[in-house]
Amino acid sequence: SYDEVGVLADSFNRMANDLSLRQLRLLKTLQALRRSRQEIIRERNFKHTVVENIETGILTFDGNRQVTSLNGPACKILGISQLSEATPWHEVFIDWPEFHPGLEHAFDTVGQQNWGDYITLDRDDRPLTYRLSLFPLSFRRQAGWLLTVEDLTERVNMREQMSRMDRLASLGRMSAGIA
């Protein structure tokens, strides 16, 4: 009908349709958010798996040179435990004074370029070789750095053994030639 009740019923039906359409849009948006959340979680888990399962130690620093995070391999290489809060880098590397001059220089000179250095030191009458690389890091408009630490001791020892073996093989060939 076209009286007040008819107009009211028509208005009510339009509002019910609008609510139904809004509900459908909200459900679609919710589904899209769930898919997006799942993708984000999958990506985060992938990155976490990669960062934790490589042999390279990774540390991040904020603009105040405080260590904000480090991965498991970094803890293993440096012999430290996970940090619960940002810690000044000197405290994290307190047992590694050989790293201090290089890192100090790197923090002072690294702008938009990378820094890397090989550091050889002796621990327990054993020569150890590490490669440190520092990269500028910009994340969420906050300046900082990313440091990678690699223990190259085994590689260096293998190269030295290969070099010794090559020299001995050369000496053997020369002796055979002379004989």
Side-chain angles (χ1 to χ4, degrees):
S1 67
Y2 294 104
D3 59 355
E4 290 178 4
V5 175
V7 171
L8 186 62
D10 188 46
S11 294
F12 181 77
N13 287 334
R14 273 189 270 131
M15 284 188 347
N17 284 336
D18 285 347
L19 285 173
S20 180
L21 290 173
R22 285 184 182 182
Q23 182 183 16
L24 286 174
R25 283 197 304 261
L26 283 173
L27 287 174
K28 285 181 182 178
T29 303
L30 183 61
Q31 288 173 344
L33 284 173
R34 284 184 179 147
R35 278 193 308 271
S36 177
R37 181 176 181 270
Q38 288 173 345
E39 289 173 14
I40 290 169
I41 289 171
R42 216 174 9 255
E43 183 73 20
R44 184 196 67 196
N45 290 343
F46 172 76
K47 288 180 181 178
H48 178 75
T49 301
V50 169
V51 167
E52 287 300 321
N53 289 307
I54 60 173
E55 293 181 9
T56 302
I58 299 174
L59 297 90
T60 58
F61 299 83
D62 64 13
N64 297 323
R65 299 181 184 176
Q66 292 196 20
V67 177
T68 55
S69 67
L70 64 159
N71 66 351
C75 293
K76 183 180 174 187
I77 290 169
L78 300 174
I80 58 176
S81 58
Q82 280 289 347
L83 305 174
S84 58
E85 59 185 27
T87 307
W89 75 271
H90 282 95
E91 291 179 25
V92 173
F93 291 95
I94 197 158
D95 293 333
W96 301 89
E98 301 88 353
F99 293 177
H100 289 212
L103 287 174
E104 197 69 55
H105 171 73
F107 283 128
D108 291 337
T109 60
V110 170
Q112 295 301 320
Q113 60 184 14
N114 303 335
W115 170 87
D117 197 12
Y118 291 89
I119 297 176
T120 303
L121 52 107
D122 286 321
R123 290 280 163 95
D124 301 325
D125 295 327
R126 205 176 136 225
L128 304 174
T129 304
Y130 293 92
R131 179 166 178 13
L132 303 180
S133 299
L134 191 69
F135 307 93
L137 180 67
S138 180
F139 182 70
R140 293 185 182 160
R141 299 182 189 180
Q142 295 177 351
W145 295 274
L146 176 84
L147 177 71
T148 60
V149 180
E150 294 177 85
D151 185 352
L152 301 178
T153 304
E154 284 186 39
R155 286 188 213 166
V156 169
N157 290 341
M158 291 285 278
R159 283 187 185 140
E160 287 175 359
Q161 284 180 340
M162 293 295 287
S163 178
R164 267 192 299 251
M165 289 173 64
D166 284 345
R167 284 194 304 268
L168 287 173
S170 295
L171 184 62
R173 283 190 300 272
M174 184 179 78
S175 298
I178 291 174

